[in-house]
């Protein structure tokens, strides 16, 4: 799996819950949400475009930050 990092303009629990919901709908994703830094880190076999489209379904501003190296 690739580990991808995204910026999502989340301001509250509600926002992060929305992100959780759309990612669960994709199925099989493992992810971490960093609310204070507005980052979502996703382990996925889906490509970046799919993930970004999915994150944008929350209605939040989202952008791809890059691949995260797994250490």
């Amino acid at each position: 799996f690739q580990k991808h990092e995204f910026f999502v303009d989340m301001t509250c629990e509600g926002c992060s819950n929305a992100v959780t919901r759309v990612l669960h709908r994709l199925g099989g994703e493992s992810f971490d949400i960093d609310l204070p830094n507005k980052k979502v880190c996703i382990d996925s076999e889906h490509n970046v475009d799919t993930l970004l489209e999915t994150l944008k379904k929350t209605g939040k501003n989202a952008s791809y930050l890059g691949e995260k190296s797994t250490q």
Side-chain angles (χ1 to χ4, degrees):
F1 281 172
Q2 294 295 155
K3 218 179 180 40
H4 298 293
E5 201 169 33
F6 294 88
F7 166 83
V8 182
D9 196 12
M10 301 174 288
T11 49
C12 63
E13 273 309 298
C15 301
S16 63
N17 290 342
V19 169
T20 301
R21 265 199 311 280
V22 295
L23 288 175
H24 274 308
R25 231 173 271 148
L26 256 186
E29 305 305 299
S30 118
F31 55 91
D32 293 309
I33 296 176
D34 180 350
L35 191 53
N37 295 312
K38 304 186 181 200
K39 282 182 187 169
V40 180
C41 207
I42 310 172
D43 277 328
S44 179
E45 56 202 0
H46 289 288
N47 64 29
V48 171
D49 294 337
T50 305
L51 294 171
L52 200 50
E53 281 310 302
T54 302
L55 289 170
K56 285 184 174 163
K57 284 180 188 158
T58 58
K60 305 275 162 226
N61 186 5
S63 57
Y64 183 50
L65 294 173
E67 232 167 79
K68 218 174 154 70
S69 53
T70 29
Q71 277 128 4

